[in-house]
Each structure stands twice: as C-alpha cells, then as structure tokens.
Amino acid sequence: MGRAIVITSGKGGVGKTTVTANLGTALAQLGHSVVLIDADIGLRNLDVVMGLENRIVYHLVDAIRGKCTVAKAMIKDRRSENLWMLPASQTDDKDSVTPEEMRSLVCELKHTHDFVLIDCPAGIEQGFKNAIAGADEAIVVATPEVSSIRDADRVVGLLAAADVPARLIVNRISQHLVKRGDMLSQSDVIEILALDLLGTIPLDDHIVATTNRGMPAVLEGKSLAAKELNRIARRLSGLEVEDHATGGFFTRLGRALGLSATPA
Amino acid sequence: MGSSEAVSDLDEAAGAALVPPAILRGSARGLEIVVHGQAPTDAIVAAVAERLAEAPTFFRGSDVRIRVDAGPLAPGCLSRLDAIAGQFELRIVEVGAAVKRGTSEDAVPVPNLAAGSAPAPASGASAEPAPADPVQASVVPADAAVLPESVEPVAIDLEPDIELVPDTRVLVGPVRSGVILEHRGHVIIFGDVNPGAEIRAEGNIVVLGRLRGTAHAGIGRDVGFILALRLEPQQLRIGRLVARASDSDTPAAVPEIAHVTDATIIVERYLGRLPGSLAASL
C-alpha cells in the first residue's frame, strides 16, 4: 500500500507543480513506483512541466467517468523507471469530480504504486477539497512572502480540520536577500506556520529553464535546487533521516564560514 | 501585594488608641491610604487631610487605593475621603481590606529574605529553622516568605475581580488564518494567533503567545483588555473602539496589554498587574 501525498499551498504560483514534478521524478529515480495526479481540472499544467503534454489521450475525468480505465489514462514517463502521470482535463471544471470519486481513485492507485503525488490547484474551494480527499499526508509549499505564508497558514488550518498531517517546503529562498534583510528567512516562515520542515529550495534560475523545457531539474541534477529536491525526496521516502539543518561537521563549518547553500 | 509583608499579631495586641486613624504609604501599585476602621470618621478624615497637606503637590494626579484595617468603614466615611481626595486631585480607584501587617511601618523591619528571617505565621508556631544550617537557610526562606499570605488569604485584596465566566474558553494554538473564534466569555489561548485569524470575545482575551491577527474584546461591554506575550496585532478592538498598529512601530519584545482609557485604546507593557485605570474600570 503506497502513500498519497498532496502538494498544496493556497496561493498560486509558489511552485506546487514544479515541486510535484521534481519530487515525483526524484522518488522514481530512488526506485519507487510513482504516479503524479494533476488535480487542477480545467487549468492543467503538470503535463507541460513534465514535458508529456503531447502524449495525453485520456485524462482524470475520463477515468473517473469510466470512459477509459485508470491505467489507460496514465502516461508513462519514459525518462524514469516507474513514473506515471495522470493528467487533468482541460475542458471540465472542478465540480465535475467529487471528493468521494477522488478518494476511490487515489485509493486504487495506492494499491499499485509506492507514492501517489497529487498536484493541488490554488485556492481552497472545490478543487482543493477534491485534491486533499484521498491524501494521507500533505506537503505545503510556501515562498518567503507574506501573502504566500498567509494563504499557507489558512490551508494548514483546513488540512488539520480534514485530519491530513502536513509538512513544509520553503521554496525560492535567496540567501543573499535574507542576509540583506530583504527577504523573510526560513525560520520566519516556520515560526508562523509551526510545521515540520521537509526542506528549503533555493531560488535558482536553473529551475525556470528546466521547467520551460518540460524537463524536471532533478533529471539533470546539477543545480542547487535539484540537489535540495533530491534530498527532500530521500527524506520523504525515509532514506535520509539526518536533518540538513544541523548537518555534518563540514556542513556546519561551511555554514559558519558563510559558504553553505542551505540556510542555517 | 508584596509577599514579603510580614503578618504578626502585634496590631491585635496593641491597643486601638496606639493605632493612628490613617496612614499614607507608597506601595508598588501607587499611593495607599490605610484606614483604621474603628477610628472615628472625623479623626480619619483629619489625619488623611493632614498628611496630604504636608505635600500637596507631590501626590497630585495619582491613583489611590484605600485599605481598611480592622473592620468596615463607618457609613459616610468613604464619601468624605473621596471629597478630600478630590481636593488634592487624587482619584480613589479601589477600596479593600488591608493586608494585615505591623502597626507601624517603620517599626516592623522588612523581613530579610536572604537570611531566612521571615516571621512565622500568625499561629505563632515557629517552624523557622535556625539559620545555622547553611543549606536550610538558603532553601527555606522562599517558602517562609510566602507562607503568611497562604495562611491568611487576602482574596479581597485582589479586587477588582475579573469575573470568571464559567465558560471561559481555553484553547491551544496556533489559531490560523481564516479562523474566526467567537466566544461569550473570556478567551485564553496557549499559542500564537496568526495573521488573518480573529478572536471575538465578550470578555477579555489573553494570548500566551504571539497575537498577530485581530482581537476583539469586550464586545457589547465597552470594557476589557487584550493581553499577549507579544502584541503584534493587525487590529485591536475593544467594545466599539478600533486600533491598528502604526506602520512604523517595531513590536516590543515584551508582554503588552491593551485596554481602554478615556475612550482610547491604550497599549502598554504588561508588568505583572493590570494597569490602574483598567483595574478601576473593570
């Protein structure tokens, strides 16, 4: 039985889809069998970020309506072993699926995969309710901006009400802006949201480039953001228990000297 | 109420004639007038007037608490005291029973806590160990100093009581954005109140954490207070008044309390007691 994890944020544009694509790819590269579900019905774009747009024949709503089998609607990512994606419909709207239907779909996929990652739409309306319906746990993505944190806080409250435990990814943090006092730090974000931290992804031009090419950054794996995403994937799968925030001797030394990429 | 104040039987033993009808004294909470309840009203009034006249400008504008020692005040006495207070521009904010203590302020030395010489409770059963044993001498005094008050509760001294509504609501935070918490009584929150959250209470609001959202106390009553370990709210409302943080304010890293004085919401450091004007209004 696999784990269903919803990636959510409340606010749009903070990197949910990019995080979903990269974590899914990284988990698959670790040898897990992974399926990504785009729950953003009507505004799908996980397929674009994954570079699988031109292979969509059936989608999530088709599978739920019984127009096709779930297996048929899933697209296999040929770049990774064991990675599939279930795209959203572009023509339906959020009300065309109910939370119960999502729950049974996710439950079905959990039987055949280690990880079911659900890319949640922005907002807290029907699409959000559908996306979290089948989830066992949640990853809340927040950028170090007041508006993002405010929305994330609201979402964390809704997740708690739905009994979905949540962990935090702080996305797009820029150490030199933090040092200059122009950006909220990771600890500022954690202080308000009071969540366990899964990881902190640095602001990285590389992500923009790879996302636009439909090539998850972790496939190339060289950039700072990709390294952190790989680390988060290992932590998510329980392979890496060490908290990077404390780190080993050299990490700590590097941080003391101001060399480390990961924030203290 | 200083826990260092000693209780002794001295004043009972002393004849009433030895007791002055009224004493002025400074306390941690401001000026106190300790009145001997058995003394004739005229004597009390005269004594108070005399003492105040000694330094007519010194006390001007302060809040005064009246402590009644040995029995209730005679009828009419309080209004005459009030008139005198008015003459000297003082404001009587509280009337209560006195914490029993030695007859003369000067005669009874403040017990030396460090030496563990606090007097035993009024029962006279001296449990005080000789400070020969250095270990005991350093451990016992704290208890010894607290004992007198616990032996003789001075509940009335806590007035004005905040009425503890039976359904005072205690909850554990964080109270997150989008949550609106409404309650008819007081609300106590262990944890933060985040931006975007709102607490509405007909009573008072105490946040044992950061208050960064909106709090509305005293709904329909126009009195009340909002107390937080860190008061960094988006907006504060008490009764029909609204206040918002000024844009330039850097939040103080101390507990603060917001309350209403002269139809304005005042925020001040919370120093372990309710501000005088607030205590008077409750």
Side-chain angles (χ1 to χ4, degrees):
Chain A
M1 194 73 168
R3 289 153 68 188
I5 304 173
V6 63
I7 290 95
T8 181
S9 68
K11 187 176 180 297
V14 298
K16 286 181 298 295
T17 302
T18 310
V19 166
T20 307
N22 281 285
L23 281 187
T25 305
L27 284 167
Q29 289 187 327
L30 289 171
H32 300 290
S33 142
V34 181
V35 57
L36 311 178
I37 301 180
D38 190 349
D40 200 348
I41 298 166
L43 287 171
R44 73 176 176 212
N45 46 34
L46 180 60
D47 52 311
V48 183
V49 174
M50 291 293 291
L52 302 173
E53 185 181 16
N54 54 12
R55 292 178 48 200
I56 297 174
V57 180
Y58 296 107
H59 49 66
L60 183 144
V61 179
D62 290 335
I64 282 178
R65 293 275 160 272
K67 277 196 195 164
C68 67
T69 62
V70 175
K72 202 159 191 177
M74 292 200 301
I75 302 168
K76 171 85 176 70
D77 185 334
R78 297 207 189 95
R79 295 163 300 192
S80 310
E81 288 286 312
N82 302 320
L83 180 59
W84 287 265
M85 189 196 68
L86 184 53
S89 154
Q90 186 69 310
T91 49
D92 296 279
D93 60 28
K94 312 277 194 258
D95 299 327
S96 50
V97 173
T98 67
E100 288 69 36
E101 286 166 340
M102 277 298 283
R103 191 173 293 124
S104 63
L105 173 76
V106 169
C107 195
E108 186 183 332
L109 289 170
K110 266 167 42 178
H111 281 104
T112 48
H113 296 81
D114 300 327
F115 284 94
V116 180
L117 301 189
I118 305 156
D119 184 20
C120 181
I124 53 171
E125 295 82 15
Q126 189 61 42
F128 170 79
K129 288 172 190 156
N130 288 340
I132 69 164
D136 306 310
E137 49 196 293
I139 294 174
V140 174
V141 181
T143 56
E145 295 158 292
V146 175
S147 53
S148 165
I149 295 167
R150 188 72 48 86
D151 289 1
D153 190 43
R154 177 96 170 94
V155 157
V156 174
L158 295 172
L159 287 167
D163 266 335
V164 182
R167 285 187 282 180
L168 176 68
I169 289 179
V170 181
N171 194 16
R172 278 194 221 134
I173 206 148
S174 159
Q175 287 312 313
H176 78 271
L177 286 180
V178 170
K179 272 189 199 133
R180 260 179 21 199
D182 289 337
M183 183 182 263
L184 296 172
S185 73
Q186 163 193 293
S187 45
D188 293 332
V189 181
I190 297 171
E191 186 190 291
I192 290 214
L193 294 179
L195 286 183
D196 285 343
L197 183 71
L198 258 179
T200 306
I201 303 170
L203 184 62
D204 188 342
D205 297 347
H206 200 73
I207 288 282
V208 180
T210 53
T211 301
N212 283 337
R213 272 189 281 132
M215 173 75 126
V218 292
L219 278 178
E220 298 180 356
K222 292 191 294 282
S223 63
L224 292 174
K227 283 185 183 142
E228 182 61 22
L229 281 157
N230 273 316
R231 198 178 288 137
I232 292 171
R234 285 201 295 280
R235 202 169 298 134
L236 208 52
S237 62
L239 289 176
E240 184 174 314
V241 283
E242 182 209 27
D243 183 0
H244 76 290
T246 53
F249 173 72
F250 287 104
T251 321
R252 274 182 280 129
L253 181 67
R255 195 177 303 123
L257 298 172
L259 302 174
S260 173
T262 53
Chain B
M1 295 133 286
S3 58
S4 61
E5 282 173 1
V7 172
S8 90
D9 287 336
L10 276 179
D11 52 347
E12 263 99 28
L18 294 177
V19 180
I23 301 170
L24 260 62
R25 69 180 187 200
S27 78
R29 305 170 67 184
L31 185 62
E32 268 187 8
I33 301 178
V34 182
V35 177
H36 195 270
Q38 308 299 312
T41 301
D42 287 340
I44 294 174
V45 172
V48 171
E50 187 188 328
R51 291 299 305 277
L52 286 176
E54 285 168 13
T57 55
F58 183 73
F59 300 115
R60 183 175 292 162
S62 3
D63 289 349
V64 188
R65 290 176 173 73
I66 295 183
R67 297 271 168 262
V68 185
D69 208 357
L73 275 181
C77 183
L78 187 60
S79 60
R80 291 186 59 185
L81 285 176
D82 196 32
I84 289 182
Q87 279 173 28
F88 289 93
E89 293 176 42
L90 300 172
R91 206 153 58 103
I92 298 179
V93 294
E94 198 181 324
V95 179
V99 183
K100 288 218 292 171
R101 52 190 292 157
T103 352
S104 160
E105 300 295 325
D106 321 306
V108 178
V110 174
N112 183 347
L113 295 186
S117 62
S123 66
S126 173
E128 196 60 32
D133 180 351
V135 175
Q136 276 193 318
S138 63
V139 172
V140 175
D143 291 343
V146 172
L147 262 181
E149 271 198 310
S150 62
V151 168
E152 195 167 332
V154 283
I156 196 158
D157 206 33
L158 290 171
E159 275 189 333
D161 271 340
I162 297 161
E163 190 189 347
L164 261 186
V165 184
D167 56 348
T168 290
R169 191 153 171 210
V170 179
L171 51 105
V172 176
V175 184
R176 295 191 184 273
S177 176
V179 174
I180 294 180
L181 180 79
E182 274 186 321
H183 187 59
R184 295 190 68 90
H186 307 300
V187 174
I188 300 172
I189 293 159
F190 291 92
D192 294 350
V193 176
N194 282 353
E198 188 173 334
I199 313 293
R200 297 178 185 160
E202 288 183 20
N204 304 306
I205 297 172
V206 176
V207 179
L208 297 168
R210 290 185 185 78
L211 171 54
R212 287 171 160 169
T214 295
H216 191 171
I219 295 176
R221 299 194 310 138
D222 286 354
V223 287
F225 63 84
I226 299 165
L227 171 63
L229 296 188
R230 296 289 179 275
L231 197 62
E232 306 160 10
Q234 293 172 308
Q235 213 180 70
L236 289 178
R237 304 181 195 148
I238 299 175
R240 279 167 294 182
L241 298 173
V242 181
R244 70 173 182 89
S246 94
D247 295 329
S248 57
D249 268 5
T250 43
V254 292
E256 291 182 297
I257 183 167
H259 59 96
V260 176
T261 296
D262 297 334
T264 312
I265 296 184
I266 308 270
V267 175
E268 56 185 288
R269 279 180 77 156
Y270 178 67
L271 297 168
R273 71 188 82 93
L274 298 182
S277 53
L278 167 65
S281 69
L282 285 176

mmCIF file with all atom_site columns, all heavy atoms in Angstrom, chain B residues 117-138:
data_model
loop_
_atom_site.group_PDB
_atom_site.id
_atom_site.type_symbol
_atom_site.label_atom_id
_atom_site.label_alt_id
_atom_site.label_comp_id
_atom_site.label_asym_id
_atom_site.label_entity_id
_atom_site.label_seq_id
_atom_site.pdbx_PDB_ins_code
_atom_site.Cartn_x
_atom_site.Cartn_y
_atom_site.Cartn_z
_atom_site.occupancy
_atom_site.B_iso_or_equiv
_atom_site.pdbx_formal_charge
_atom_site.auth_seq_id
_atom_site.auth_comp_id
_atom_site.auth_asym_id
_atom_site.auth_atom_id
_atom_site.pdbx_PDB_model_num
ATOM 1   N N   . SER B 1 117 ? 14.762 35.132 57.714 1.00 0.00 ? 117 SER B N   1
ATOM 2   C CA  . SER B 1 117 ? 14.248 35.543 58.998 1.00 0.00 ? 117 SER B CA  1
ATOM 3   C C   . SER B 1 117 ? 12.788 35.973 58.942 1.00 0.00 ? 117 SER B C   1
ATOM 4   O O   . SER B 1 117 ? 12.326 36.683 59.802 1.00 0.00 ? 117 SER B O   1
ATOM 5   C CB  . SER B 1 117 ? 15.095 36.682 59.547 1.00 0.00 ? 117 SER B CB  1
ATOM 6   O OG  . SER B 1 117 ? 14.996 37.778 58.649 1.00 0.00 ? 117 SER B OG  1
ATOM 7   N N   . ALA B 1 118 ? 12.075 35.567 57.902 1.00 0.00 ? 118 ALA B N   1
ATOM 8   C CA  . ALA B 1 118 ? 10.657 35.912 57.834 1.00 0.00 ? 118 ALA B CA  1
ATOM 9   C C   . ALA B 1 118 ? 9.932  35.338 59.037 1.00 0.00 ? 118 ALA B C   1
ATOM 10  O O   . ALA B 1 118 ? 10.157 34.190 59.401 1.00 0.00 ? 118 ALA B O   1
ATOM 11  C CB  . ALA B 1 118 ? 10.036 35.362 56.561 1.00 0.00 ? 118 ALA B CB  1
ATOM 12  N N   . PRO B 1 119 ? 9.080  36.113 59.628 1.00 0.00 ? 119 PRO B N   1
ATOM 13  C CA  . PRO B 1 119 ? 8.397  35.631 60.825 1.00 0.00 ? 119 PRO B CA  1
ATOM 14  C C   . PRO B 1 119 ? 7.466  34.466 60.485 1.00 0.00 ? 119 PRO B C   1
ATOM 15  O O   . PRO B 1 119 ? 6.969  34.357 59.368 1.00 0.00 ? 119 PRO B O   1
ATOM 16  C CB  . PRO B 1 119 ? 7.588  36.842 61.295 1.00 0.00 ? 119 PRO B CB  1
ATOM 17  C CG  . PRO B 1 119 ? 7.957  37.968 60.412 1.00 0.00 ? 119 PRO B CG  1
ATOM 18  C CD  . PRO B 1 119 ? 8.703  37.460 59.257 1.00 0.00 ? 119 PRO B CD  1
ATOM 19  N N   . ALA B 1 120 ? 7.237  33.667 61.483 1.00 0.00 ? 120 ALA B N   1
ATOM 20  C CA  . ALA B 1 120 ? 6.362  32.525 61.296 1.00 0.00 ? 120 ALA B CA  1
ATOM 21  C C   . ALA B 1 120 ? 4.933  33.006 61.165 1.00 0.00 ? 120 ALA B C   1
ATOM 22  O O   . ALA B 1 120 ? 4.615  34.136 61.500 1.00 0.00 ? 120 ALA B O   1
ATOM 23  C CB  . ALA B 1 120 ? 6.492  31.591 62.486 1.00 0.00 ? 120 ALA B CB  1
ATOM 24  N N   . PRO B 1 121 ? 4.045  32.151 60.665 1.00 0.00 ? 121 PRO B N   1
ATOM 25  C CA  . PRO B 1 121 ? 2.640  32.514 60.545 1.00 0.00 ? 121 PRO B CA  1
ATOM 26  C C   . PRO B 1 121 ? 2.035  32.939 61.885 1.00 0.00 ? 121 PRO B C   1
ATOM 27  O O   . PRO B 1 121 ? 2.576  32.662 62.941 1.00 0.00 ? 121 PRO B O   1
ATOM 28  C CB  . PRO B 1 121 ? 1.987  31.235 60.047 1.00 0.00 ? 121 PRO B CB  1
ATOM 29  C CG  . PRO B 1 121 ? 3.078  30.449 59.452 1.00 0.00 ? 121 PRO B CG  1
ATOM 30  C CD  . PRO B 1 121 ? 4.345  30.874 60.076 1.00 0.00 ? 121 PRO B CD  1
ATOM 31  N N   . ALA B 1 122 ? 0.882  33.564 61.759 1.00 0.00 ? 122 ALA B N   1
ATOM 32  C CA  . ALA B 1 122 ? 0.257  34.167 62.922 1.00 0.00 ? 122 ALA B CA  1
ATOM 33  C C   . ALA B 1 122 ? -0.018 33.160 64.025 1.00 0.00 ? 122 ALA B C   1
ATOM 34  O O   . ALA B 1 122 ? -0.179 33.524 65.179 1.00 0.00 ? 122 ALA B O   1
ATOM 35  C CB  . ALA B 1 122 ? -1.041 34.839 62.519 1.00 0.00 ? 122 ALA B CB  1
ATOM 36  N N   . SER B 1 123 ? -0.113 31.919 63.690 1.00 0.00 ? 123 SER B N   1
ATOM 37  C CA  . SER B 1 123 ? -0.382 30.916 64.703 1.00 0.00 ? 123 SER B CA  1
ATOM 38  C C   . SER B 1 123 ? 0.691  30.926 65.789 1.00 0.00 ? 123 SER B C   1
ATOM 39  O O   . SER B 1 123 ? 0.458  30.476 66.892 1.00 0.00 ? 123 SER B O   1
ATOM 40  C CB  . SER B 1 123 ? -0.431 29.530 64.060 1.00 0.00 ? 123 SER B CB  1
ATOM 41  O OG  . SER B 1 123 ? 0.850  29.223 63.575 1.00 0.00 ? 123 SER B OG  1
ATOM 42  N N   . GLY B 1 124 ? 1.818  31.436 65.468 1.00 0.00 ? 124 GLY B N   1
ATOM 43  C CA  . GLY B 1 124 ? 2.871  31.529 66.465 1.00 0.00 ? 124 GLY B CA  1
ATOM 44  C C   . GLY B 1 124 ? 3.710  30.269 66.523 1.00 0.00 ? 124 GLY B C   1
ATOM 45  O O   . GLY B 1 124 ? 4.755  30.253 67.149 1.00 0.00 ? 124 GLY B O   1
ATOM 46  N N   . ALA B 1 125 ? 3.269  29.235 65.854 1.00 0.00 ? 125 ALA B N   1
ATOM 47  C CA  . ALA B 1 125 ? 4.065  28.017 65.845 1.00 0.00 ? 125 ALA B CA  1
ATOM 48  C C   . ALA B 1 125 ? 5.291  28.271 64.991 1.00 0.00 ? 125 ALA B C   1
ATOM 49  O O   . ALA B 1 125 ? 5.227  28.233 63.772 1.00 0.00 ? 125 ALA B O   1
ATOM 50  C CB  . ALA B 1 125 ? 3.258  26.856 65.271 1.00 0.00 ? 125 ALA B CB  1
ATOM 51  N N   . SER B 1 126 ? 6.365  28.556 65.646 1.00 0.00 ? 126 SER B N   1
ATOM 52  C CA  . SER B 1 126 ? 7.538  28.940 64.888 1.00 0.00 ? 126 SER B CA  1
ATOM 53  C C   . SER B 1 126 ? 8.223  27.712 64.302 1.00 0.00 ? 126 SER B C   1
ATOM 54  O O   . SER B 1 126 ? 8.786  26.894 65.007 1.00 0.00 ? 126 SER B O   1
ATOM 55  C CB  . SER B 1 126 ? 8.508  29.693 65.795 1.00 0.00 ? 126 SER B CB  1
ATOM 56  O OG  . SER B 1 126 ? 9.701  29.926 65.088 1.00 0.00 ? 126 SER B OG  1
ATOM 57  N N   . ALA B 1 127 ? 8.106  27.599 63.033 1.00 0.00 ? 127 ALA B N   1
ATOM 58  C CA  . ALA B 1 127 ? 8.747  26.473 62.360 1.00 0.00 ? 127 ALA B CA  1
ATOM 59  C C   . ALA B 1 127 ? 10.066 26.918 61.749 1.00 0.00 ? 127 ALA B C   1
ATOM 60  O O   . ALA B 1 127 ? 10.678 26.196 60.992 1.00 0.00 ? 127 ALA B O   1
ATOM 61  C CB  . ALA B 1 127 ? 7.836  25.927 61.273 1.00 0.00 ? 127 ALA B CB  1
ATOM 62  N N   . GLU B 1 128 ? 10.437 28.125 62.064 1.00 0.00 ? 128 GLU B N   1
ATOM 63  C CA  . GLU B 1 128 ? 11.612 28.675 61.425 1.00 0.00 ? 128 GLU B CA  1
ATOM 64  C C   . GLU B 1 128 ? 12.878 27.989 61.927 1.00 0.00 ? 128 GLU B C   1
ATOM 65  O O   . GLU B 1 128 ? 13.150 27.957 63.117 1.00 0.00 ? 128 GLU B O   1
ATOM 66  C CB  . GLU B 1 128 ? 11.659 30.172 61.759 1.00 0.00 ? 128 GLU B CB  1
ATOM 67  C CG  . GLU B 1 128 ? 12.577 30.963 60.879 1.00 0.00 ? 128 GLU B CG  1
ATOM 68  C CD  . GLU B 1 128 ? 12.171 30.889 59.422 1.00 0.00 ? 128 GLU B CD  1
ATOM 69  O OE1 . GLU B 1 128 ? 10.963 30.772 59.165 1.00 0.00 ? 128 GLU B OE1 1
ATOM 70  O OE2 . GLU B 1 128 ? 13.069 30.921 58.570 1.00 0.00 ? 128 GLU B OE2 1
ATOM 71  N N   . PRO B 1 129 ? 13.642 27.422 61.037 1.00 0.00 ? 129 PRO B N   1
ATOM 72  C CA  . PRO B 1 129 ? 14.867 26.787 61.484 1.00 0.00 ? 129 PRO B CA  1
ATOM 73  C C   . PRO B 1 129 ? 15.924 27.840 61.783 1.00 0.00 ? 129 PRO B C   1
ATOM 74  O O   . PRO B 1 129 ? 15.906 28.927 61.191 1.00 0.00 ? 129 PRO B O   1
ATOM 75  C CB  . PRO B 1 129 ? 15.280 25.950 60.289 1.00 0.00 ? 129 PRO B CB  1
ATOM 76  C CG  . PRO B 1 129 ? 14.676 26.645 59.120 1.00 0.00 ? 129 PRO B CG  1
ATOM 77  C CD  . PRO B 1 129 ? 13.476 27.387 59.610 1.00 0.00 ? 129 PRO B CD  1
ATOM 78  N N   . ALA B 1 130 ? 16.773 27.521 62.691 1.00 0.00 ? 130 ALA B N   1
ATOM 79  C CA  . ALA B 1 130 ? 17.883 28.432 62.935 1.00 0.00 ? 130 ALA B CA  1
ATOM 80  C C   . ALA B 1 130 ? 18.746 28.448 61.689 1.00 0.00 ? 130 ALA B C   1
ATOM 81  O O   . ALA B 1 130 ? 18.980 27.409 61.075 1.00 0.00 ? 130 ALA B O   1
ATOM 82  C CB  . ALA B 1 130 ? 18.690 27.936 64.133 1.00 0.00 ? 130 ALA B CB  1
ATOM 83  N N   . PRO B 1 131 ? 19.176 29.591 61.293 1.00 0.00 ? 131 PRO B N   1
ATOM 84  C CA  . PRO B 1 131 ? 19.941 29.655 60.046 1.00 0.00 ? 131 PRO B CA  1
ATOM 85  C C   . PRO B 1 131 ? 21.354 29.114 60.194 1.00 0.00 ? 131 PRO B C   1
ATOM 86  O O   . PRO B 1 131 ? 22.254 29.543 59.501 1.00 0.00 ? 131 PRO B O   1
ATOM 87  C CB  . PRO B 1 131 ? 19.941 31.142 59.723 1.00 0.00 ? 131 PRO B CB  1
ATOM 88  C CG  . PRO B 1 131 ? 19.725 31.826 61.014 1.00 0.00 ? 131 PRO B CG  1
ATOM 89  C CD  . PRO B 1 131 ? 18.982 30.885 61.903 1.00 0.00 ? 131 PRO B CD  1
ATOM 90  N N   . ALA B 1 132 ? 21.503 28.189 61.121 1.00 0.00 ? 132 ALA B N   1
ATOM 91  C CA  . ALA B 1 132 ? 22.818 27.609 61.324 1.00 0.00 ? 132 ALA B CA  1
ATOM 92  C C   . ALA B 1 132 ? 23.179 26.708 60.152 1.00 0.00 ? 132 ALA B C   1
ATOM 93  O O   . ALA B 1 132 ? 24.285 26.731 59.646 1.00 0.00 ? 132 ALA B O   1
ATOM 94  C CB  . ALA B 1 132 ? 22.852 26.815 62.625 1.00 0.00 ? 132 ALA B CB  1
ATOM 95  N N   . ASP B 1 133 ? 22.202 25.916 59.763 1.00 0.00 ? 133 ASP B N   1
ATOM 96  C CA  . ASP B 1 133 ? 22.428 25.004 58.638 1.00 0.00 ? 133 ASP B CA  1
ATOM 97  C C   . ASP B 1 133 ? 22.387 25.812 57.341 1.00 0.00 ? 133 ASP B C   1
ATOM 98  O O   . ASP B 1 133 ? 21.343 26.324 56.971 1.00 0.00 ? 133 ASP B O   1
ATOM 99  C CB  . ASP B 1 133 ? 21.333 23.930 58.644 1.00 0.00 ? 133 ASP B CB  1
ATOM 100 C CG  . ASP B 1 133 ? 21.517 22.961 57.505 1.00 0.00 ? 133 ASP B CG  1
ATOM 101 O OD1 . ASP B 1 133 ? 22.370 23.227 56.629 1.00 0.00 ? 133 ASP B OD1 1
ATOM 102 O OD2 . ASP B 1 133 ? 20.808 21.955 57.480 1.00 0.00 ? 133 ASP B OD2 1
ATOM 103 N N   . PRO B 1 134 ? 23.491 25.926 56.676 1.00 0.00 ? 134 PRO B N   1
ATOM 104 C CA  . PRO B 1 134 ? 23.511 26.797 55.505 1.00 0.00 ? 134 PRO B CA  1
ATOM 105 C C   . PRO B 1 134 ? 22.583 26.320 54.398 1.00 0.00 ? 134 PRO B C   1
ATOM 106 O O   . PRO B 1 134 ? 22.064 27.126 53.640 1.00 0.00 ? 134 PRO B O   1
ATOM 107 C CB  . PRO B 1 134 ? 24.970 26.774 55.063 1.00 0.00 ? 134 PRO B CB  1
ATOM 108 C CG  . PRO B 1 134 ? 25.574 25.580 55.714 1.00 0.00 ? 134 PRO B CG  1
ATOM 109 C CD  . PRO B 1 134 ? 24.785 25.298 56.947 1.00 0.00 ? 134 PRO B CD  1
ATOM 110 N N   . VAL B 1 135 ? 22.393 25.027 54.285 1.00 0.00 ? 135 VAL B N   1
ATOM 111 C CA  . VAL B 1 135 ? 21.537 24.523 53.223 1.00 0.00 ? 135 VAL B CA  1
ATOM 112 C C   . VAL B 1 135 ? 20.103 24.951 53.475 1.00 0.00 ? 135 VAL B C   1
ATOM 113 O O   . VAL B 1 135 ? 19.434 25.526 52.628 1.00 0.00 ? 135 VAL B O   1
ATOM 114 C CB  . VAL B 1 135 ? 21.622 22.984 53.131 1.00 0.00 ? 135 VAL B CB  1
ATOM 115 C CG1 . VAL B 1 135 ? 20.639 22.470 52.093 1.00 0.00 ? 135 VAL B CG1 1
ATOM 116 C CG2 . VAL B 1 135 ? 23.041 22.570 52.794 1.00 0.00 ? 135 VAL B CG2 1
ATOM 117 N N   . GLN B 1 136 ? 19.643 24.699 54.676 1.00 0.00 ? 136 GLN B N   1
ATOM 118 C CA  . GLN B 1 136 ? 18.269 25.075 55.007 1.00 0.00 ? 136 GLN B CA  1
ATOM 119 C C   . GLN B 1 136 ? 18.083 26.580 54.906 1.00 0.00 ? 136 GLN B C   1
ATOM 120 O O   . GLN B 1 136 ? 17.077 27.048 54.407 1.00 0.00 ? 136 GLN B O   1
ATOM 121 C CB  . GLN B 1 136 ? 17.949 24.621 56.425 1.00 0.00 ? 136 GLN B CB  1
ATOM 122 C CG  . GLN B 1 136 ? 17.506 23.165 56.463 1.00 0.00 ? 136 GLN B CG  1
ATOM 123 C CD  . GLN B 1 136 ? 16.902 22.828 57.796 1.00 0.00 ? 136 GLN B CD  1
ATOM 124 O OE1 . GLN B 1 136 ? 17.418 23.235 58.825 1.00 0.00 ? 136 GLN B OE1 1
ATOM 125 N NE2 . GLN B 1 136 ? 15.833 22.076 57.771 1.00 0.00 ? 136 GLN B NE2 1
ATOM 126 N N   . ALA B 1 137 ? 19.070 27.268 55.376 1.00 0.00 ? 137 ALA B N   1
ATOM 127 C CA  . ALA B 1 137 ? 18.932 28.719 55.386 1.00 0.00 ? 137 ALA B CA  1
ATOM 128 C C   . ALA B 1 137 ? 18.720 29.257 53.983 1.00 0.00 ? 137 ALA B C   1
ATOM 129 O O   . ALA B 1 137 ? 18.036 30.236 53.787 1.00 0.00 ? 137 ALA B O   1
ATOM 130 C CB  . ALA B 1 137 ? 20.166 29.348 56.002 1.00 0.00 ? 137 ALA B CB  1
ATOM 131 N N   . SER B 1 138 ? 19.274 28.565 53.021 1.00 0.00 ? 138 SER B N   1
ATOM 132 C CA  . SER B 1 138 ? 19.131 29.094 51.676 1.00 0.00 ? 138 SER B CA  1
ATOM 133 C C   . SER B 1 138 ? 17.893 28.548 50.973 1.00 0.00 ? 138 SER B C   1
ATOM 134 O O   . SER B 1 138 ? 17.469 29.093 49.971 1.00 0.00 ? 138 SER B O   1
ATOM 135 C CB  . SER B 1 138 ? 20.382 28.762 50.861 1.00 0.00 ? 138 SER B CB  1
ATOM 136 O OG  . SER B 1 138 ? 20.498 27.357 50.760 1.00 0.00 ? 138 SER B OG  1
#
